[in-house]
Amino acid sequence: HDVSLQRELASAYLKIGDLQGKPYSPNLGDTAGALESYKKAAAILESIVNLDPSCLELRFDLAAAYASIGALYSLRLRNRDEGVKILQKSRDLGEALLAADPSNTHY
């Protein structure tokens, strides 16, 4: 598998998801489509993070995908429990990124 190609594909799914239904941003109002796009991005990122867990940028992208999924569940789908569970995964990744590189303000 070409990791850079997979990362580009995941990035495209994140951008499509944002356009479809990112909360608190201009979007098309397609919550179901956004959730599907974000989940596809997360699945791709999970697989490439497993191949290269030391890549902090991939882990950051995965945390962003989880944050988007969690926000949709919590804010649009009114499934607070699922939203909190997924947002927790995003937070855990963020904390690990901060611990791995405390001087990087990007994460």
Side-chain angles (χ1 to χ4, degrees):
H1 295 146
D2 182 352
V3 171
S4 64
L5 180 61
Q6 292 295 314
R7 186 173 184 195
E8 286 296 319
L9 183 58
S11 177
Y13 277 123
L14 288 173
K15 289 175 185 171
I16 291 168
D18 289 349
L19 179 63
Q20 289 169 311
K22 182 177 181 177
Y24 302 117
S25 295
N27 64 67
L28 299 173
D30 181 7
T31 299
L35 182 61
E36 184 176 330
S37 294
Y38 290 145
K39 284 183 174 183
K40 286 179 182 179
I44 293 167
L45 289 164
E46 285 169 353
S47 70
I48 57 178
V49 164
N50 287 335
L51 293 173
D52 187 5
S54 66
C55 182
L56 300 182
E57 292 168 353
L58 289 173
R59 291 167 48 199
F60 177 80
D61 291 348
L62 181 56
Y66 287 153
S68 295
I69 294 167
L72 278 182
Y73 273 111
S74 296
L75 300 171
R76 297 283 186 253
L77 299 172
R78 305 284 191 240
N79 186 338
R80 186 175 184 278
D81 291 341
E82 187 67 15
V84 167
K85 182 175 85 173
I86 296 169
L87 287 169
Q88 179 71 41
K89 290 170 72 171
S90 178
R91 190 194 83 188
D92 291 348
L93 274 171
E95 288 177 352
L97 288 167
L98 182 61
D101 189 3
S103 65
N104 190 331
T105 59
H106 177 71
Y107 306 129

